[in-house]
Amino acid sequence: MSPSKMNSADDASHSSSQPESGFIDSASFVNSQIAIRELLQQTPVHDNDDHLMEFAEALGTVQKALRQAAEGKASAQAEAAEWKRKYELERARNQDFQQQEKISGGNHDDDVHCKNTQNLDDQNDLCNQTNEQPERCCAEHGICSHEVLFNGENDSASRAIQNRMTRKASFKLSWWCKGERSDQHKHDIVSFEKGNITTAGRTSKQITLKWESPPQTVLIMTKPNSKSVRVLCVQIVRWLKDHKNLNIYVEPRVRSELLADSSSFEFVQTWQDESEILDLHKKVDLVVTLGGDGTVLWAASVFKGPVPPVVPFSLGSLGFMTPFYSEHYKEYLDSILKGPISITLRHRLQCLVVRDSARSEYEKEEPILVLNEVTIDRGISSYLTNLECYCDDSYVTLVQGDGLILSTTSGSTAYSLAAGGSMVHPQVPGILFTPICPHSLSFRPLILPEHVTIRVQVPFNSRSPAWASFDGKDRKKLEAGDALICSMAPWPVPTACLVDSTSDFLRSIQDGLHWNLRKTQSFDGPREL
């Protein structure tokens, strides 16, 4: 071997090992790989050249160490981002608590939370300020949810009037097994934070929602460019206003369409900017969707945090989440507004893209919530996708094929099913791990526990980048070294059921997919004696 080649190899190895901010620079790592590959190609290897073989093995060890360091960087960035998110959430909660103390002058009787059930008399006094008399709020009969919004006036009479106008509807959740309506509740499954549903754990039991105070505000979201949907929207808006006297929110596009039909729809409200959308869950008690499953996905994507109960009407071509028929909207809505109703808690995935080029945990992208699935594919590239997959920092496998689908159980009847995944009841807690056209016949789909964190990383030796799409939109390019981290989001999407979650699910696959539909076997053939 010539001295110039040895020096170039040493320089490449030395430059690739120089740390920057404690991590290995990806460009230097790629350059070192190219230099090593050229060196091995240009230098003939003989069986008796032991020193050259040892040198090649040493270079391979260096390459492996650099790869592990790059993986450690992505893992450290993801962990730092998660700690930062928890810190910011805790700081925001403390600021809200201090602001409430300042407004109420240290008197906490104005805020009713289900986590504090010691002072039941004060809770009843607050409930009596509404027009109706709800039943006694206590945790021993279920999990209750209350939220009182007021403008900070010190006068109690003014606060009571404001509470009647802006009070968010409260409700109670209970769950039971078929045939055992024992009304036994578990507080560690579903909890409430200022009247919003969050989940610390999951349950596969049937869930019932009972209104403790009547809903006052309804948000209607529609499928665009559909004449039948537009006509139905007009009818529902008029009926909810004339017969139920509810506050009605719609999208800006829908409000423009309503005002184009008649100026009498001035009472319909909408939002103007992104900041109002972020606070929409504090105003809306119920969401009505008019369309197919795509409309439900769109409605869920509007709420970046807690989601009010959703009533999905079927006006699409194929729907697994839309059990309500539009022809009987009056009967359905009247029953839902009175309650109680069965609901399905459809859990979402929280996805975070971590770039290899990020210099610190602050250089991160906003998390994305998906109700169906996140898909990582090869895009327009002709090369196989190479994806390194980890589950709670444990190596799972290297995906080689057209891509990978990480799906919720609600999305099991969507892209995952088309790629060979199983159909799963939406109430079953879990994450579906489904390969797309894998380059191995033994690569079968998995169902992982819902509490795990999955990291999918594009390796540095990948021949092409990958592309990630979230519920079929927001497509992002993943370069070598980039990672996608997915975990279960704490805010599910509660959808109303026509009967219950199991009956609705079975009916949807039977009617939508014609599941196991075949002609009955004839009985006029030969029989066993």
Side-chain angles (χ1 to χ4, degrees):
M1 179 185 296
S2 63
S4 61
K5 293 180 180 179
M6 289 292 293
N7 293 335
S8 63
D10 292 339
D11 293 341
S13 176
H14 178 71
S15 62
S16 64
S17 63
Q18 290 296 329
E20 181 176 349
S21 301
F23 298 114
I24 303 301
D25 183 70
S26 60
S28 301
F29 174 60
V30 174
N31 293 334
S32 66
Q33 283 187 312
I34 297 175
I36 293 170
R37 191 181 300 111
E38 292 178 352
L39 177 62
L40 295 178
Q41 290 176 354
Q42 295 174 5
T43 305
V45 179
H46 302 287
D47 294 338
N48 57 357
D49 197 344
D50 296 335
H51 295 289
L52 185 58
M53 293 297 295
E54 292 178 359
F55 178 71
E57 293 177 358
L59 290 180
T61 303
V62 172
Q63 180 182 358
K64 183 178 179 181
L66 294 176
R67 176 180 170 185
Q68 293 177 350
E71 293 175 358
K73 171 185 176 181
S75 177
Q77 288 178 341
E79 184 178 359
E82 179 64 16
W83 278 108
K84 181 175 180 294
R85 185 187 69 82
K86 292 180 179 179
Y87 168 75
E88 292 177 349
L89 180 61
E90 185 67 22
R91 185 176 62 177
R93 288 178 177 174
N94 292 336
Q95 290 177 351
D96 292 342
F97 180 75
Q98 294 175 0
Q99 186 67 19
Q100 291 175 4
E101 282 188 334
K102 185 182 298 184
I103 293 175
S104 60
N107 185 3
H108 300 285
D109 295 341
D110 293 325
D111 294 329
V112 182
H113 301 280
C114 294
K115 294 181 180 179
N116 183 11
T117 59
Q118 298 178 357
N119 199 336
L120 300 179
D121 295 333
D122 292 338
Q123 291 181 354
N124 286 332
D125 293 339
L126 180 60
C127 293
N128 292 333
Q129 293 177 359
T130 58
N131 293 330
E132 294 189 9
Q133 295 289 339
E135 63 182 61
R136 186 180 182 88
C137 173
C138 59
E140 63 186 57
H141 296 298
I143 302 178
C144 304
S145 162
H146 296 278
E147 178 174 355
V148 181
L149 306 176
F150 56 90
N151 57 8
E153 296 179 3
N154 292 326
D155 183 68
S156 59
S158 300
R159 273 207 310 271
I161 297 175
Q162 188 69 13
N163 286 341
R164 287 196 296 268
M165 296 177 61
T166 61
R167 179 186 176 91
K168 182 177 170 68
S170 58
F171 49 84
K172 178 174 67 176
L173 292 186
S174 59
W175 45 91
W176 44 274
C177 292
K178 202 72 174 179
E180 84 172 90
R181 290 178 178 257
S182 59
D183 202 26
Q184 295 178 353
H185 311 286
K186 296 182 179 180
H187 292 261
D188 58 342
I189 300 295
V190 180
S191 60
F192 297 94
E193 180 182 351
K194 295 186 177 180
N196 302 310
I197 300 177
T198 60
T199 54
R202 278 84 187 175
T203 177
S204 58
K205 295 184 178 181
Q206 304 288 348
I207 301 177
T208 301
L209 183 148
K210 180 180 179 181
W211 299 107
E212 294 291 306
S213 61
Q216 298 182 6
T217 305
V218 176
L219 169 63
I220 301 178
M221 307 192 74
T222 66
K223 179 175 69 174
N225 305 321
S226 174
K227 186 176 180 180
S228 60
V229 169
R230 186 171 177 177
V231 172
L232 180 63
C233 179
V234 171
Q235 296 175 355
I236 292 180
V237 168
R238 290 192 181 277
W239 184 79
L240 290 176
K241 185 63 177 178
D242 296 341
H243 294 81
K244 299 299 179 180
N245 194 27
L246 297 178
N247 302 320
I248 300 175
Y249 273 81
V250 296
E251 300 169 82
R253 168 186 57 84
V254 178
R255 188 174 191 273
S256 300
E257 294 175 354
L258 293 175
L259 291 178
D261 291 341
S262 174
S263 60
S264 61
F265 289 105
E266 286 288 348
F267 63 88
V268 177
Q269 304 177 60
T270 187
W271 54 86
Q272 301 297 330
D273 50 32
E274 187 73 19
S275 61
E276 294 186 44
I277 298 180
L278 296 177
D279 294 333
L280 199 59
H281 68 278
K282 300 178 181 179
K283 307 174 184 177
V284 174
D285 300 320
L286 199 67
V287 179
V288 175
T289 63
L290 307 178
D293 286 353
T295 310
V296 179
L297 295 177
W298 167 246
S301 66
V302 170
F303 296 90
K304 306 303 181 183
V307 185
V310 179
V311 184
F313 283 90
S314 176
L315 286 97
S317 56
L318 183 65
F320 297 94
M321 306 183 194
T322 54
F324 294 96
Y325 303 105
S326 59
E327 297 83 3
H328 308 288
Y329 72 88
K330 294 181 181 179
E331 293 85 345
Y332 291 145
L333 289 177
D334 185 67
S335 175
I336 289 170
L337 292 173
K338 291 179 180 177
I341 58 175
S342 294
I343 65 170
T344 300
L345 285 182
R346 301 183 179 273
H347 303 287
R348 296 186 287 180
L349 287 176
Q350 182 171 263
C351 307
L352 179 66
V353 175
V354 180
R355 301 291 181 184
D356 176 68
S357 58
R359 299 300 180 185
S360 66
E361 69 273 13
Y362 299 102
E363 297 182 20
K364 63 182 181 66
E365 301 181 10
E366 290 295 326
I368 302 175
L369 298 176
V370 297
L371 181 56
N372 264 358
E373 76 278 311
V374 52
T375 304
I376 307 101
D377 58 70
R378 63 182 183 176
I380 62 175
S381 174
S382 59
Y383 297 112
L384 292 178
T385 297
N386 284 273
L387 302 172
E388 294 179 344
C389 302
Y390 301 84
C391 179
D392 286 342
D393 294 328
S394 298
Y395 180 75
V396 178
T397 188
L398 176 67
V399 176
Q400 291 181 300
D402 283 355
L404 175 68
I405 302 172
L406 299 177
S407 170
T408 65
T409 50
S410 292
S412 65
T413 51
Y415 196 177
S416 176
L417 178 63
S422 177
M423 292 186 294
V424 185
H425 190 292
Q427 202 72 10
V428 175
I431 301 175
L432 278 66
F433 187 94
T434 308
I436 306 174
C437 298
H439 205 245
S440 171
L441 293 178
S442 62
F443 196 170
R444 298 292 91 193
L446 296 176
I447 300 179
L448 299 171
E450 46 80 23
H451 58 77
V452 302
T453 298
I454 301 175
R455 178 165 58 91
V456 180
Q457 184 168 354
V458 181
F460 288 101
N461 60 354
S462 179
R463 303 172 71 180
S464 63
W467 294 83
S469 58
F470 309 88
D471 276 343
K473 58 182 185 298
D474 298 331
R475 199 162 172 81
K476 294 180 180 294
K477 187 177 182 180
L478 302 178
E479 298 285 358
D482 294 346
L484 177 67
I485 301 175
C486 298
S487 59
M488 196 68 76
W491 307 285
V493 179
T495 58
C497 300
L498 183 62
V499 182
D500 56 55
S501 60
T502 300
S503 300
D504 288 4
F505 171 70
L506 294 177
R507 184 183 61 82
S508 68
I509 63 175
Q510 291 167 355
D511 295 346
L513 296 177
H514 304 294
W515 179 60
N516 196 30
L517 183 63
R518 65 180 298 275
K519 291 184 178 180
T520 305
Q521 187 176 9
S522 175
F523 292 99
D524 58 357
R527 299 176 180 269
E528 294 182 359
L529 298 178

